[in-house]
Amino acid sequence: MNNVHLDLKRIDLNLLQLFNALYKHGSVSGAAYELAMSPSAFSHGLTRLRTSLNDVLFVRRGAQMVPTAKSIEIADTISLALKLLSETLQRAGPFDPRVSSRNFIFTATDFTAFAVLPRCIAAIEKVAPQVSTRIRYADHSIPVEELRTGKVDFSIGYTMLTSETPPDIQADDWFTDRYVVITRKGHPACSQGLSLETYLAAKHVVVTPWNHARGEIDQLLEDLNLKRHVAVYLPTVLAAPFIVGSSEMLMTLPRLAATTLAQAAEIQIHEPPFHIPDYCIKLFSHSNYAQSDAHVWMAKTLLGTTFL
């Protein structure tokens, strides 16, 4: 069954660019200039568009072309459709970071985003000044379906919270980091360093981005027949350093995140009193898109960014 609207069948889709430009500028001369057309050619195209849509679309009031009710109704949809079409064609064509205005979509937790992304964005901006990035909150450790459908270009994740990677998902090792413990400056129980006894006796703050019942450190302690007292569970890292900095509570987290947080809150960094495996950041993408020029460039730029 053909669901294409009759108006769409008989319209020259190039005329939608005229509509979009005129709606934006409110004048034929301004819209024609944007599209590199003469005002007479633009007016001719507008006449054809009016006939196709059976509406005058714009009426002149002084020096302005004012949209009709129908134009107002369809303007946002036309603008979005043109944007999506442009981005789709741009994805399919050769990618030149120096001139591309491509939008890349990432998922990440705020825990990884605030510590990792600032340097990455700076590296991207130096080479690709018009490229934009959209960061979305990660609903899952690996957003497999979103990567498969192309709704997400890359996901930033870490191995201690990810299960086995599906075969069609590419997982590139980015960098590893060690865990540390943060306390408020001058914590009375840590003046001579942080002992295991002090660690287990203290209250702890834990960030669980997907509302897990417990953090990965708790699983590690359980394997050692040890247990800590988690007093505060948080879905994001934003409040964590300030809670630690104004209380007697402890928090265990990667060193890179801790040093970044130390710039914003009165906290002190300690070595953990037991062995914790390194924290490994990975860059996830889908194999269907991983070999495109744009993805190859972005992956190379990100993986080339150093932190340690």
Side-chain angles (χ1 to χ4, degrees), residues 82 151 173 178 185 203 242:
L82 290 172
K151 292 180 179 178
D173 290 341
R178 72 180 192 278
K185 288 185 176 179
K203 295 180 180 179
F242 303 102

Side-chain angles (χ1 to χ4, degrees), residues 19 23 67-78:
F19 175 92
Y23 191 88
T68 64
K70 182 168 185 175
S71 287
I72 294 172
E73 181 182 357
I74 65 177
D76 287 347
T77 301
I78 288 176

Side-chain angles (χ1 to χ4, degrees), residues 109-115 137 158 182 205-209 233-244 251-254 257-258 260-261 264-265 267:
T109 64
D110 69 333
F111 197 74
T112 52
F114 86 91
Y137 179 74
Y158 51 102
I182 60 173
V205 177
V206 172
V207 175
T208 55
Y233 288 94
L234 297 171
T236 71
V237 76
L238 181 62
F242 303 102
I243 293 174
V244 171
M251 182 177 180
T252 307
L253 70 170
T260 303
L261 292 174
I267 59 175

